[in-house]
Amino acid sequence: MASVLEDPTLERHFRGHKDAVTCADFSPNNKQLATGSNDKNLMIWNLNPKARAFRFMGHNDLITAVQFSPSGHLVASSSRDKTVRLWTPNIKGESVAFKAHTATVRSVSFSSDGQRLVTASDDKSLKVWSVHRQKFIYSLNQHTNWVRCARFSPDGRLVASCGDDRTVRLWDTSTRQCINTFTDYGGPATFVDFNSSGTCIASSGADNTLKLWDIRTNKLIQHYQVHSAGVNCFSFHPSGNYLISGSNDSTVKILDLLEGRLIYTLHGHKVECLDLSGPVLTVAFSRQGDFFASGGADSQVLMWKTNFDALNYREMLSQHSKRVSPDPPPHLMDIYPRSPHVHLSQNGPIEVNPVVADTLSADPCVVEVGERPFSMAPEMLRPSWQARFQPASAPPERAGYSRHVEHCEQAARGHEDGPAGFRGHASASTRFTHPQQEMEQEECEEEGPGLTHLPGEHSELPGAVRSTLEHIVHQLDVLTQVSGAGFCSASRERLGPFEVAVWTETVAVLEERLTLTEDKLKECLDNQVLIQQEALRAGQTHEESRVEGPAI
């Protein structure tokens, strides 16, 4: 059996959602984690412990699925509000809504080239969308009940889908026809996905099962019944050798697909108010496979370090062969034909039951990025990607781009990371002097044409100008710390809801006015620099003409 050092370990946990976490996905560069929740919010967690998290508001109902684009420049989310949204995963929080489904959208997934989206809905249809043109292309209609999940194959030629009609279907994207149907299910099929090579699909069901099908032969090759309740989600390791699954039985299971057995059972999601374990609703491996995340009804996201994927597989097999009670023989995925058999959970997996307490860092401060939801007819799905900023004179409740830091309990505790979080908020309200903001702006510049970016920064500023700007930032810093640290703990207990709302609105107005003043000052300084440059060029031209002398 694997040693302790080779077992998966709990690396971090993220708390910021106010309801069950329903979906999760890592960015391709492994720097961010996107999660959706029943609280209607999309959150982007920066995996750097000192970085801020972003809460994106735009959906009108719970979020059912989320996925990064292959480039990492976009995030797609689906919701029970019947829409799909594309977001830019930075502080601007721009989004555009796609509308064509007539019921809850259960799933959203990018093609490997990032040019198309496939969505699954309770209206019994799949829909394929163009990301670049931002429009609906075509529907796939043969399911007879709600469609729970849909995924593109790695080469983009196939789509796999599953639903409450107890079927898994394969579709040809060129002919737009269903080419195969798998029906061996005792209940609704809840999730489906391709392995990394595209030769197999796995599907999970409400009948507690996980099944792997070889799509080259259309045969069932592995069948696992390791959970004691319905399986909600699973994720393939990039190597294709492992699979993790989350279930209503409150556990995360890790399967070794090469050996065909359960190797780990993970616990950790617990509903604190009831002191009971809650369902695990989502699991996801990172693109490199070195981490995986799980989320559930306890409203938190756990990030685990894989560890076991670095094992020497031959050595591990030799260790297994020396056990007193040998396991069933390996069930290799590339050996066929072979009659399928059920893999039960009596193989003695390792139980990992961490205490979710102290982790590498405190909960990050959360920047709320609120966008006023907008709608459009399906035939007009061509909105421009614009930053929706409102003038400073607009009322706070109508501002299209609100910046508000949720000051966590660390503010009252005086945690050493607290002031850094407040400084981050102050700098986010400005548009310069903060390294994180500069990094986000560089990311925006890589997003390609069609996206509107924040104004650029001057690389060099005179000393007097820099001093003035730093003074403004300091004032914002003081304002934020007073409104956050002083108000977050004690004041909130003494004041009623109306006083809290008035205080929050007042702080927002002050911040907007300071930002407007800062922008005007920056514009004046820019004009002054331009005038000085023009005067310098004019002086140089005059000097050159004087040296050359009068024309002969």
Side-chain angles (χ1 to χ4, degrees):
M1 192 168 291
S3 66
V4 175
L5 294 178
E6 296 162 347
D7 297 344
T9 54
L10 181 62
E11 190 78 3
R12 289 185 65 187
H13 74 278
F14 301 96
R15 291 176 178 170
H17 283 296
K18 300 176 176 63
D19 207 335
V21 178
T22 58
C23 48
D25 190 42
F26 285 90
S27 64
N29 61 9
N30 215 33
K31 292 183 178 180
Q32 292 179 316
L33 175 65
T35 58
S37 169
N38 286 351
D39 64 10
K40 310 177 187 179
N41 296 325
L42 169 71
M43 295 202 67
I44 304 293
W45 308 93
N46 289 294
L47 301 189
N48 180 351
K50 295 184 179 180
R52 297 163 295 165
F54 301 125
R55 178 183 290 122
F56 296 144
M57 297 173 287
H59 281 294
N60 296 322
D61 210 328
L62 62 87
I63 295 176
T64 56
V66 64
Q67 191 179 71
F68 276 93
S69 65
S71 66
H73 294 153
L74 297 173
V75 174
S77 61
S78 60
S79 171
R80 199 165 65 180
D81 64 9
K82 307 176 187 179
T83 68
V84 174
R85 278 186 177 268
L86 283 181
W87 310 78
T88 53
N90 54 44
I91 197 170
K92 292 193 297 182
E94 299 168 324
S95 74
V96 60
F98 291 0
K99 292 187 177 181
H101 284 291
T102 59
T104 298
V105 186
R106 294 284 179 181
S107 167
V108 62
S109 177
F110 281 95
S111 60
S112 58
D113 60 5
Q115 297 300 311
R116 291 173 295 167
L117 281 173
V118 62
T119 56
S121 170
D122 287 359
D123 62 12
K124 307 178 187 178
S125 74
L126 310 176
K127 295 190 184 297
V128 177
W129 312 74
S130 169
V131 175
H132 179 67
R133 297 171 62 191
Q134 300 172 18
K135 66 178 296 185
F136 161 73
I137 304 176
Y138 61 88
S139 289
L140 301 173
N141 301 285
Q142 281 194 27
H143 280 283
T144 59
N145 207 329
W146 294 353
V147 188
R148 292 285 184 175
C149 183
R151 289 289 187 272
F152 278 107
S153 62
D155 59 11
R157 294 187 296 178
L158 300 174
V159 167
S161 63
C162 66
D164 284 12
D165 58 2
R166 303 186 178 186
T167 67
V168 174
R169 295 178 182 268
L170 275 181
W171 309 80
D172 188 321
T173 57
S174 59
T175 63
R176 304 179 185 180
Q177 297 296 318
C178 179
I179 59 175
N180 202 5
T181 303
F182 304 100
T183 58
D184 188 18
Y185 286 89
T190 56
F191 199 83
V192 67
D193 200 3
F194 288 85
N195 67 348
S196 55
S197 64
T199 59
C200 296
I201 61 171
S203 58
S204 60
D207 58 355
N208 312 349
T209 63
L210 281 161
K211 297 180 180 180
L212 272 75
W213 307 81
D214 188 327
I215 61 175
R216 297 166 295 185
T217 59
N218 298 327
K219 299 294 183 180
L220 177 67
I221 57 174
Q222 291 191 3
H223 179 194
Y224 297 92
Q225 199 161 1
V226 294
H227 285 286
S228 59
V231 183
N232 296 312
C233 185
F234 63 83
S235 178
F236 278 104
H237 188 273
S239 68
N241 297 338
Y242 304 96
L243 183 143
I244 55 175
S245 58
S247 166
N248 288 335
D249 64 9
S250 308
T251 66
V252 175
K253 304 280 188 179
I254 302 176
L255 303 172
D256 186 327
L257 300 180
L258 292 180
E259 195 179 356
R261 62 182 299 270
L262 173 66
I263 56 175
Y264 291 104
T265 297
L266 309 182
H267 306 266
H269 290 279
K270 180 173 290 188
V271 182
E272 295 180 355
C273 60
L274 301 177
D275 197 27
L276 297 172
S277 296
V280 180
L281 302 177
T282 181
V283 290
F285 270 114
S286 65
R287 298 298 199 274
Q288 293 75 30
D290 50 348
F291 293 98
F292 61 94
S294 61
D298 58 354
S299 306
Q300 67 177 338
V301 182
L302 304 183
M303 188 175 77
W304 308 76
K305 187 168 179 59
T306 304
N307 296 330
F308 56 81
D309 63 343
L311 287 175
N312 183 314
Y313 197 74
R314 291 183 181 275
E315 180 182 350
M316 186 175 69
L317 284 180
S318 66
Q319 293 175 358
H320 290 330
S321 65
K322 298 176 182 178
R323 295 179 183 172
V324 176
S325 301
D327 295 323
H331 197 170
L332 301 179
M333 295 175 59
D334 56 353
I335 296 178
Y336 188 83
R338 177 174 183 151
S339 59
H341 58 272
V342 178
H343 295 275
L344 300 176
S345 58
Q346 70 266 23
N347 293 333
I350 298 176
E351 298 274 341
V352 179
N353 192 0
V355 178
V356 183
D358 191 20
T359 53
L360 293 181
S361 63
D363 296 336
C365 282
V366 177
V367 178
E368 290 188 356
V369 183
E371 179 174 292
R372 184 175 56 201
F374 59 95
S375 61
M376 59 194 70
E379 65 272 15
M380 300 179 64
L381 290 172
R382 293 173 179 269
S384 61
W385 286 84
Q386 280 189 325
R388 298 178 175 271
F389 297 115
Q390 297 288 340
S393 58
E397 66 273 13
R398 297 182 57 190
Y401 179 75
S402 64
R403 302 179 183 93
H404 172 67
V405 173
E406 179 182 318
H407 300 288
C408 310
E409 295 178 356
Q410 64 184 24
R413 294 194 307 263
H415 193 281
E416 61 182 3
D417 288 340
F422 296 139
R423 285 194 294 273
H425 169 60
S427 300
S429 299
T430 65
R431 284 197 283 264
F432 44 86
T433 73
H434 197 286
Q436 177 73 12
Q437 185 75 0
E438 294 176 4
M439 182 180 69
E440 291 160 357
Q441 186 162 342
E442 291 173 359
E443 293 177 355
C444 295
E445 291 172 356
E446 297 174 358
E447 290 169 3
L451 300 181
T452 304
H453 305 289
L454 292 173
E457 302 185 54
H458 285 293
S459 58
E460 296 183 3
L461 291 175
V465 176
R466 187 181 301 278
S467 176
T468 303
L469 298 183
E470 288 179 353
H471 175 71
I472 293 176
V473 173
H474 176 70
Q475 295 300 318
L476 284 172
D477 204 4
V478 172
L479 173 64
T480 307
Q481 293 189 29
V482 170
S483 62
F487 178 65
C488 182
S489 56
S491 301
R492 185 169 295 180
E493 297 176 358
R494 294 196 301 269
L495 300 180
F498 177 75
E499 289 83 356
V500 171
V502 171
W503 178 276
T504 304
E505 183 173 336
T506 303
V507 171
V509 170
L510 290 174
E511 288 184 350
E512 289 184 356
R513 290 182 178 178
L514 282 172
T515 303
L516 179 62
T517 303
E518 162 218 316
D519 291 342
K520 289 183 176 180
L521 174 60
K522 188 170 182 290
E523 182 180 354
C524 293
L525 294 174
D526 290 344
N527 293 334
Q528 182 179 357
V529 171
L530 291 175
I531 293 172
Q532 291 176 350
Q533 291 175 348
E534 291 292 337
L536 181 60
R537 282 196 291 269
Q540 291 175 348
T541 303
H542 177 72
E543 183 67 21
E544 290 174 357
S545 61
R546 186 180 64 81
V547 172
E548 292 175 359
I552 300 176

